[in-house]
């Protein structure tokens, strides 16, 4: 789930997944957020991370 808009993202995780500084991109609100995931708990590290555009 996107921490900004609450909608589903395309990233699937399992209960035993550990992520550190993972750039979670939401295709709906078009924002990228750095998150940490440990034991199923999401910790938002940087809510204003910008996506790279060309």
């Amino acid at each position: 789930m996107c921490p900004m808009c609450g909608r589903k993202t395309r990233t699937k995780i399992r209960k035993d997944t550990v992520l550190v500084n993972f750039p979670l991109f939401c295709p709906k609100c078009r924002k990228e957020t750095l998150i940490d995931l440990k034991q199923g708990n999401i910790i938002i590290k940087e809510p204003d991370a910008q996506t790279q555009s060309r």
Side-chain angles (χ1 to χ4, degrees), residues 2-53:
C2 174
M4 299 304 233
C5 67
R7 295 182 181 171
K8 291 182 182 178
T9 61
R10 294 183 181 131
T11 305
K12 292 185 180 181
I13 55 171
R14 298 183 346 176
K15 291 182 181 179
D16 60 344
T17 302
V18 176
L19 299 171
V20 178
N21 292 332
F22 182 75
L24 180 67
F25 178 75
C26 177
K28 303 291 183 181
C29 66
R30 308 204 38 90
K31 297 202 179 199
E32 185 175 307
T33 307
L34 285 178
I35 63 168
D36 283 350
L37 177 78
K38 294 180 184 176
Q39 299 175 348
N41 297 324
I42 296 177
I43 302 167
I44 302 169
K45 298 228 12 172
E46 199 173 320
D48 296 325
Q50 298 294 320
T51 58
Q52 292 180 353
S53 61

